[in-house]
Each structure stands twice: as structure tokens, then as C-alpha cells.
RNA sequence: GGAGAGAUGGCAGAGUGGUCGAAUGCGGUGGUCUUGAAAACCAUUGACCUUCACGGGUCCGGGGGUUCGAAUCCCUCUCUCUCCGCCA
């Protein structure tokens, strides 16, 4: 959620930046500023009425104490008007606040100045390409065929137990999953992150805090009976650990990492996008979250990008980094880098990580602040990224490392898998 | 699932109709003392909205009510804890 004070002081800048998303926001922002104006003038009017009313009550109390009952009772009559008036103003104020809030939540984050304007993935900027496309023989197979051939993943079994998009990993497939999770977590620990095991179901306040609600309501699994949401990413519980807190300045930056399964309804997806491991309802991911001072956030974003790139290099995967254009970025992000690995047998790029700086957009909702040097509280910046999402990494590993002899496991993973080849 | 208790400042914990944004202790910060530290002592220490400022207002789990006046009384919701039951 954008800060009203920001919109007030930098109206034109906000409009310009939102235009990078191909969003015409000036009307909404004007409405917001008008409501904010109303809110403030209404509030000061209400405050004045309440101040007078408080004053009278004190005097009445004093009169009763002095035994001047008649005078006190006479004074009571005067409060009736004030009471009436304050009630009216309060009702009005609540309406204004609701209207303001309803408008505010419709505005996405303002893209950073360096983010390119654009409508869709077509306009994303390719920042860096690492490695080369592996040369595979003409009979190379896509990962779903390899998974079947080596009995690594049973998609049919998942359909029987749950439905499409819920694969069952078996044998070396399951062990490879576990190895990847451990490898990623260990690498994150080495980079200074603290490991967490958060809940996999969250309440509505948490969903709102990180911005999934109300924006992505339909994309989350919701348990009506208990009013809980299955997490679409560990970002939600991890970041919400710090909801409604004032972090000590010297404790920043806070760095945390967690492995969790992620649940997504993926309503509306179809075709080759959902084949095999490309898009699932349940998948595994190791996430990193950073909370820091505003002046540090873009440095930390670069750090995260370097860290995630390092993971992919250790796995020997050919990948590229994209800086998303305004229109392709998530609702809550100010700048996002996507990491895509090359899927040799499918001949396409697959997204395996998304690293974003949310600036104060989430912390404003979360009421996540720190105490600055001048002793005042100030909103933190929040960032997160996948390090990494497993299914597409697995897909690329299987496809790119296949040969007639089987599938070669990257050296860095062998200590975690306990085997170096699938055959 | 059954029974009971509770929700107050960073934490612990008083407060049962006005002088309570709230005792006290711990913690934090500043100081005195000390070669330094500890101890002791003194002072200070919640958040939010609004104002250039002075000031004003809101907040004692959420919402509603009674009253001139509510942390305190009433209704309601949510959550937590304890005991019993069930159970990984």
C-alpha cells in the first residue's frame, strides 16, 4: 500500500512511475488526495468537539465533587449537543477512511526510476546471460518423459491421490528434491540468513500484510471452516513474522530463509505451460527475505541477485536474468529481477526465481518499522526472492544433463544426494 | 470436543466509574561514582493522527452499548492459557 504522505508530496512522480505499468493513475490519486483532505479537516473538527466535551466532563466531575449538584446537572444538558455532533462526525470519518482505504489498495507499487515502461513480458530487459545452451542429441527427452523413464516422478499417481498438479516424487526423484532443499538452505545459511520453519497456513491479516489479499484472493487455497489460507510462498509467513513490530536499528538488516511447500490454485492456466513440472498446484521452494533500512535496500537487492545467480552457477545451469518492465511486475513490487533457466529439451526459458524490492509497500501494510537515528519510527523496506524454486530447476537438471548413460548429478549436489548418476 | 480462567505499555504486573496514558518491578537510554567495568544512586523512557509550532485528539484484544464521564459496568466476537477427553 502506498503511503498517502508520499502521494501528497510527490503526486506527479507517483503518476509518472505508475505509468510505467501502463496504468493511468492520476484520477485515482486525485480522488485519494481529496479524500485525505476531507479526512484531515473532518478529523480536526471532530477533535475540537471531543476536546470541548472532555473539558466539560472534567468540570462536571469537579462540580459533583464540590457538591454543586444543580450546576452540574445544568451543565450536562450542554454536552448533549456535542455528543450528537461527535457521533455524526465519527460516522462520517469512518466512511471517509473506508473509501480512502478502498482506493489505496487498488494502487500497485510505484516502479523504481530504472524500471522500464512496458505492458507485458515482451518489454522485459535481459540484463545478463550466463553459460551456454547444452547440445543434446536429437533423441533428447523432455523432463516428464525422463521422470517416467527413470521412475522419478509419478504424475498419474498424484492425480489419483489429489489431482493434476500434485506430483508424487519417488526414489531418486524424491531424494533429489530433498538434496536440492538442503543444498539451497545451506547456501543461504552461508550467505548469512537465519533459517525458519514457519506455518504453512496463514490467517487473513497475514495475507493482507504481504499483499496477496485482496489482490490474489482467487489464487490461494482457502480453508473456509477455519478461515485460513495455504501459503503460495514462504514470503507470506516469513515477512509477517515482523508484522506490527518496531525493529531495532542495529538489528537491521534482518535476513531469513525458509523451505516450505507452496500452494497455488493457478486458475486459468493451461496447455504446454502446465506440462510436467512447469506449473504445479503444490511445489517446493526455498525463500529468502530481507528487511532493511530504506537507504540499503537496492544494495541488498543486488546482493540477492548475485547470491541467486551463484546458486544457479554452482548447479551448472545456463540461465539469464531479466529486469521486469513495469507492466510485468507483481502488484507489490518496485523492482523485480527474474531468473530463468534454459530447458534444453523443451527449448524454452523457465522462471526459477523472482527477486524483488517492495520498498515500503508491504511494510506500510504490515506496520513494520524501525527506530531511526533521530529516534523517530520509520517504515522498513522489505525484499524477497526465491533461492530457489525446485520444480523447474529439477526439470532443467534432468533435461540438460541427460545422455545415453543416464542423468549426471551436478558435483555440488552429490554430497546431498548420495549418488552421482540416475540410470 | 467438555469445563474453567484470562487478554493492560518492550516484558512482568497493579488498577474495578472522574484527578489514569495508566502504580510498581525488570529492561532501554542519559548521568553521578569508578583507572575501567559491575553494583548503587539520580533522571528519563509507549504508539498513532493532526499542527510550522503551541496545542488538540485517539489507543488498556476487536466491535457495540450504558453514562456528563469507561481500562473499570453491560452485550458480543476473537484469541490465549489451565484441567479433562482424543491424538501425531
Amino acid at each position: 500500500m502506498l503511503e498517502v504522505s508520499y502521494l501528497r508530496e510527490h503526486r506527479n512522480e507517483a503518476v509518472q512511475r505508475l505509468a510505467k505499468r501502463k496504468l493511468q493513475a492520476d484520477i485515482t490519486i486525485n480522488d485519494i488526495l481529496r479524500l485525505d483532505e476531507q479526512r484531515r479537516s473532518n478529523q480536526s473538527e471532530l477533535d475540537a468537539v471531543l476536546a470541548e466535551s472532555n473539558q466539560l466532563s472534567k468540570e462536571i466531575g469537579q462540580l459533583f465533587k464540590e457538591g454543586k449538584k444543580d450546576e452540574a446537572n445544568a451543565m450536562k444538558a450542554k454536552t448533549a449537543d456535542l455528543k450528537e455532533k461527535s457521533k455524526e462526525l465519527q460516522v462520517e470519518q469512518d466512511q471517509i477512511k473506508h473509501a480512502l482505504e478502498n482506493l489505496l489498495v487498488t494502487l500497485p507499487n510505484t516502479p523504481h526510476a530504472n524500471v522500464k515502461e512496458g505492458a507485458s513480458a515482451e518489454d522485459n530487459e535481459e540484463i545478463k546471460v550466463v553459460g551456454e545452451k547444452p547440445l543434446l542429441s536429437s533423441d533428447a527427452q523432455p523432463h516428464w518423459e525422463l521422470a517416467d523413464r527413470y521412475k522419478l516422478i509419478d504424475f498419474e499417481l498424484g492425480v489419483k491421490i489429489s489431482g493434476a498438479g500434485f506430483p508424487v516424487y519417488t526414489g531418486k526423484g524424491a531424494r533429489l528434491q530433498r538434496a536440492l532443499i538442503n543444498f539451497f538452505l545451506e547456501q543461504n545459511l552461508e550467505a548469512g540468513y537465519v533459517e525458519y520453519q514457519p506455518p504453512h497456513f496463514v490467517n487473513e491479516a497475514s495475507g493482507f500484510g504481504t499483499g496477496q489479499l485482496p489482490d490474489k484472493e482467487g489464487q490461494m487455497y482457502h480453508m473456509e471452516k477455519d478461515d485460513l489460507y495455504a501459503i503460495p510462498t514462504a514470503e507470506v509467513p516469513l515477512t509477517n513474522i515482523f508484522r506490527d513490530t518496531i525493529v531495532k536499528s542495529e538489528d537491521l538488516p534482518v535476513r531469513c530463509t525458509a523451505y516450505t511447500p507452496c500452494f497455488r490454485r493457478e486458475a486459468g492456466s493451461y496447455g504446454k505451460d502446465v506440462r510436467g513440472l512447469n506449473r504445479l498446484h503444490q511445489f517446493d521452494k526455498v525463500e529468502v527475505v530481507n528487511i532493511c533500512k530504506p537507504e540499503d535496500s537496492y544494495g541488498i537487492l543486488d546482493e540477492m541477485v548475485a547470491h541467486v545467480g551463484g546458486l544457479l552457477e554452482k548447479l551448472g545451469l545456463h540461465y539469464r536474468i531479466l529486469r521486469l518492465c513495469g507492466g510485468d511486475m507483481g502488484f507489490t513490487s518496485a523492482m523485480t529481477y527474474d531468473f530463468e533457466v534454459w530447458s534444453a529439451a523443451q527449448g524454452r526459458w523457465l522462471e526459477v526465481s523472482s527477486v524483488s524490492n517492495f520498498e515500503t509497500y508491504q511494510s506500510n501494510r504490515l506496520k513494520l518499522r524501525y527506530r531511526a537515528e533521530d529516534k523517530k519510527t520509520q517504515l522498513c523496506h522489505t525484499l524477497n526472492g526465491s533461492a530457489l524454486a525446485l520444480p523447474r530447476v529439477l526439470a532443467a537438471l534432468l533435461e540438460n544433463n541427460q545422455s545415453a548413460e543416464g542423468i549426471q548429478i551436478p558435483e555440488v549436489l552429490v554430497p546431498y544426494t548420495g549418488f552421482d548418476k540416475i540410470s
Side-chain angles (χ1 to χ4, degrees):
Chain A
M1 196 155 63
L2 294 172
E3 295 167 84
V4 179
S5 58
Y6 169 75
L7 296 176
R8 206 154 57 205
E9 287 155 32
H10 305 280
R11 183 198 168 278
N12 292 336
E13 183 186 301
V15 171
Q16 274 170 26
R17 288 196 173 177
L18 286 168
K20 288 170 181 281
R21 292 182 182 267
K22 300 289 184 193
L23 182 73
Q24 182 92 28
D26 51 347
I27 294 173
T28 307
I29 292 179
N30 286 346
D31 287 347
I32 287 172
L33 294 180
R34 210 186 51 245
L35 282 168
D36 179 53
E37 188 59 42
Q38 277 178 36
R39 179 188 67 84
R40 284 185 294 158
S41 73
N42 201 65
Q43 185 69 52
S44 60
E45 201 179 334
L46 175 60
D47 285 353
V49 171
L50 288 174
E52 193 178 346
S53 177
N54 287 341
Q55 184 57 34
L56 280 176
S57 287
K58 266 183 196 160
E59 287 171 23
I60 290 170
Q62 192 58 37
L63 289 173
F64 271 121
K65 211 171 237 176
E66 292 165 6
K68 299 174 182 169
K69 277 195 180 161
D70 292 343
E71 279 181 54
N73 282 324
M75 227 165 178
K76 277 192 195 180
K78 283 169 74 179
T79 64
D81 275 353
L82 290 173
K83 206 177 170 186
E84 181 83 8
K85 180 85 178 161
S86 74
K87 250 182 192 165
E88 276 171 28
L89 286 168
Q90 189 60 61
V91 168
E92 207 175 307
Q93 189 68 348
D94 289 344
Q95 286 168 352
I96 294 169
K97 278 185 178 169
H98 275 129
L100 184 59
E101 167 106 1
N102 286 340
L103 276 184
L104 267 177
V105 297
T106 65
L107 283 182
N109 202 353
T110 47
H112 184 272
N114 293 349
V115 169
K116 195 179 150 197
E117 178 167 339
S120 68
E122 312 260 301
D123 298 315
N124 293 340
E125 301 172 86
E126 191 176 89
I127 298 291
K128 192 178 177 187
V129 182
V130 176
E132 306 267 322
K133 290 186 174 66
L135 292 171
L136 299 185
S137 66
S138 56
D139 59 350
Q141 295 178 296
H143 68 268
W144 52 87
E145 287 176 16
L146 294 166
D148 189 49
R149 176 170 159 193
Y150 294 111
K151 306 258 179 290
L152 302 175
I153 307 168
D154 195 327
F155 291 98
E156 295 302 315
L157 198 51
V159 170
K160 171 186 164 184
I161 301 169
S162 303
F166 293 94
V168 176
Y169 301 89
T170 62
K172 284 187 173 172
R175 291 166 67 190
L176 189 48
Q177 285 281 110
R178 181 158 53 85
L180 282 166
I181 292 165
N182 280 328
F183 172 67
F184 293 146
L185 282 172
E186 290 295 331
Q187 292 287 314
N188 293 344
L189 292 185
E190 262 178 49
Y193 289 90
V194 175
E195 185 173 349
Y196 282 76
Q197 284 201 9
H200 299 169
F201 297 160
V202 295
N203 57 28
E204 190 185 336
S206 295
F208 179 82
T210 33
Q212 278 71 24
L213 295 173
D215 184 45
K216 288 184 187 143
E217 172 96 58
Q219 289 297 336
M220 288 196 287
Y221 287 99
H222 180 225
M223 279 140 279
E224 238 172 76
K225 204 164 186 179
D226 298 295
D227 198 16
L228 291 169
Y229 294 85
I231 56 170
T233 159
E235 162 197 348
V236 180
L238 277 184
T239 314
N240 271 281
I241 289 171
F242 302 94
R243 168 154 51 85
D244 288 320
T245 58
I246 300 175
V247 185
K248 284 191 198 137
S249 179
E250 63 265 30
D251 290 342
L252 294 173
V254 168
R255 301 174 191 274
C256 33
T257 184
Y259 151 72
T260 68
C262 302
F263 303 91
R264 300 185 183 180
R265 293 187 61 234
E266 301 293 359
S269 303
Y270 61 90
K272 68 174 166 43
D273 283 346
V274 303
R275 194 84 196 264
L277 293 170
N278 290 346
R279 194 172 290 278
L280 302 167
H281 287 307
Q282 178 180 330
F283 65 95
D284 296 302
K285 182 159 63 68
V286 176
E287 184 81 0
V288 291
V289 166
N290 276 275
I291 296 164
C292 67
K293 297 180 192 176
E295 61 266 33
D296 297 334
S297 69
Y298 280 93
I300 287 178
L301 182 65
D302 290 343
E303 233 173 73
M304 293 168 78
V305 167
H307 176 64
V308 171
L311 295 177
L312 291 169
E313 276 158 52
K314 283 178 182 149
L315 291 174
L317 291 169
H318 174 43
Y319 72 94
R320 65 172 183 174
I321 304 175
L322 303 174
R323 181 157 64 201
L324 301 190
C325 72
D328 201 32
M329 278 200 310
F331 195 76
T332 53
S333 176
M335 188 186 280
T336 296
Y337 290 97
D338 269 10
F339 286 73
E340 298 183 334
V341 297
W342 181 251
S343 159
Q346 296 183 82
R348 55 189 289 221
W349 293 101
L350 300 175
E351 182 194 330
V352 290
S353 178
S354 195
V355 180
S356 304
N357 187 353
F358 303 95
E359 297 189 356
T360 59
Y361 195 89
Q362 288 184 329
S363 61
N364 190 29
R365 292 179 161 218
L366 292 159
K367 298 288 166 263
L368 164 52
R369 293 154 295 167
Y370 74 101
R371 202 169 295 283
E373 281 66 27
D374 60 1
K375 307 269 183 207
K376 285 193 177 145
T377 60
Q378 207 172 319
L379 291 174
C380 297
H381 278 195
T382 62
L383 306 94
N384 67 51
S386 344
L388 289 162
L390 269 73
R392 296 174 191 157
V393 168
L394 182 62
L397 282 178
L398 296 180
E399 293 179 10
N400 300 8
N401 297 338
Q402 64 181 303
S403 69
E405 290 80 46
I407 295 162
Q408 190 66 39
I409 302 297
E411 215 174 301
V412 292
L413 281 182
V414 175
Y416 297 94
T417 52
F419 54 86
D420 64 359
K421 184 161 278 214
I422 295 169
S423 55

